[in-house]
Amino acid sequence: MPQQLETLPCIDFSKVKVMGILNVTPDSFSDGGKFSCFDKALKQVELMIDQGVDIIDIGGESTRPGAADVSEYDEITRVIPLLKAVKSRFDIAVSIDTSKAAVMAEAITYNADIINDVRALQNEGCLAVIAQSDISVCLMHMQGLPRSMQTKPHYNDIIEDIINFFIERIKTCQKKGIDKHRLILDPGFGFGKTVAHNYQMLAEFNKFKQLGLPLLAGVSRKSMLGDLLNRDVEQRLSGSLTAAIVAVQQGAGIIRVHDIAETVDAIKILKAVAQYSEDKK
Ligand code: 9MG
């Protein structure tokens, strides 16, 4: 029997969650800014829920390579009214994609469920804000900063370097009083990584499981797919689904995606295959 099938039942696919991306930035790379309008964003949330999303990830800062900084005021204005509206209208988990302590504090006040921080709580004041709450946090690895991160990324051993980074961040969180079990880890596909680094991370994603925490993978429509397939952003659905399924097979518990319905379908197929193998035992 091929090794991949043998290992399938060891992972509990029934718990895999789909996180839907909702960028509310004027320059969002994947939606061309079309959801910066409040009503359209709410409609998009409704659609995502109908399609089976588990978590909505709302972001007001673009983190694509070369993106400019955004002010605290602009980010709060983009994200918080939407968070309030979503929480008052729908029964759905919401994560807020931010690296700013003030945005985190507001998000906690208005009942966000997760803080998704691509800077892993390294910005000033973030650890303290999170320590005063009981919110879950996704710590993502990034080498450098969005403005310059794709200029010659370098690692001694990418998997080992990222694991060491996570060990340090987990320890720092614990020292500040943040329980380890509130943390989710994400190696950060495309954030200071070459195409080769990204595919190594995907192939060896299960190595991050040794840290004993839930893992998040964000590969949707990223340039690691476009570069390999020579496809523009809007032509990356097959690549996104394939990479998402590989990540789930490698132990990702949360998949951050643009294409909800298609990803939910793909994960259903994976679950059916795993269930068959389980029943046959
Ligand atoms: C905000 N954002 C963009 N890409 C991301 C990724 O891969 N992971 C996480 N956690 N956030 C991301």
Side-chain angles (χ1 to χ4, degrees):
M1 191 185 282
Q3 203 203 344
Q4 199 60 66
L5 276 181
E6 257 173 12
T7 58
L8 272 177
C10 303
I11 299 168
D12 189 355
F13 294 115
S14 66
K15 296 205 172 81
V16 173
K17 303 269 183 246
V18 174
M19 174 186 269
I21 300 168
L22 187 62
N23 289 322
V24 283
T25 55
D27 62 340
S28 162
F29 80 97
S30 61
D31 59 25
K34 73 181 169 198
F35 297 121
S36 52
C37 159
F38 189 81
D39 290 337
K40 282 185 186 167
L42 272 182
K43 279 251 172 307
Q44 178 68 3
V45 169
E46 208 174 340
L47 179 67
M48 284 175 163
I49 294 171
D50 285 348
Q51 292 178 335
V53 81
D54 298 293
I55 306 161
I56 311 263
D57 189 41
I58 302 177
E61 178 206 23
S62 175
T63 49
R64 72 190 157 84
D69 293 341
V70 57
S71 75
E72 201 172 276
Y73 173 82
D74 281 351
E75 213 180 306
I76 288 179
T77 314
R78 286 173 192 171
V79 159
I80 300 302
L82 189 57
L83 167 65
K84 283 198 223 172
V86 172
K87 279 301 192 180
S88 67
R89 287 168 173 78
F90 307 103
D91 180 20
I92 190 77
V94 175
S95 74
I96 297 296
D97 156 20
T98 186
S99 298
K100 294 186 178 67
V103 184
M104 291 179 189
E106 289 283 305
I108 291 163
T109 302
Y110 292 105
N111 300 320
D113 300 273
I114 302 173
I115 296 294
N116 173 26
D117 185 2
V118 298
R119 294 176 184 81
L121 302 182
Q122 293 176 98
N123 277 357
E124 204 182 328
C126 292
L127 285 163
V129 167
I130 298 300
Q132 283 163 21
S133 74
D134 59 3
I135 198 164
S136 296
V137 182
C138 177
L139 302 175
M140 200 199 76
H141 174 271
M142 164 163 55
Q143 186 178 85
L145 290 172
R147 203 179 272 282
S148 56
M149 66 190 176
Q150 290 309 107
T151 319
K152 294 201 181 131
H154 174 79
Y155 298 87
N156 292 324
D157 174 323
I158 185 164
I159 306 293
E160 207 178 293
D161 291 2
I162 294 177
I163 287 177
N164 287 335
F165 169 81
F166 284 142
I167 291 171
E168 183 281 315
R169 293 316 296 156
I170 293 166
K171 271 195 197 139
T172 302
C173 285
Q174 286 176 314
K175 270 194 210 143
K176 294 282 175 186
I178 302 165
D179 192 281
K180 182 178 172 174
H181 295 103
R182 290 166 58 191
L183 304 176
I184 299 160
L185 306 177
D186 177 350
F189 287 96
F191 285 83
K193 280 104 186 169
T194 62
V195 174
H197 288 141
N198 286 312
Y199 283 97
Q200 184 183 344
M201 281 194 341
L202 190 54
E204 301 187 359
F205 196 85
N206 64 1
K207 292 194 175 166
F208 299 114
K209 284 175 72 182
Q210 66 188 271
L211 294 158
L213 291 175
L215 300 174
L216 188 152
V219 284
S220 184
R221 299 185 188 173
K222 287 202 173 164
S223 59
M224 64 181 276
L225 310 170
D227 290 351
L228 189 82
L229 304 172
N230 195 19
R231 301 260 186 243
D232 290 338
V233 136
E234 64 280 1
Q235 297 176 316
R236 294 179 190 167
L237 177 60
S238 314
S240 299
L241 293 174
T242 310
I245 288 307
V246 174
V248 172
Q249 287 182 319
Q250 289 282 330
I254 306 175
I255 298 291
R256 184 177 181 276
V257 301
H258 298 86
D259 304 291
I260 314 298
E262 293 85 350
T263 310
V264 168
D265 278 359
I267 291 172
K268 273 187 196 159
I269 302 290
L270 199 56
K271 283 179 186 169
V273 175
Q275 191 59 54
Y276 172 81
S277 308
E278 194 60 33
D279 292 348
K280 230 180 106 185
K281 271 185 183 170

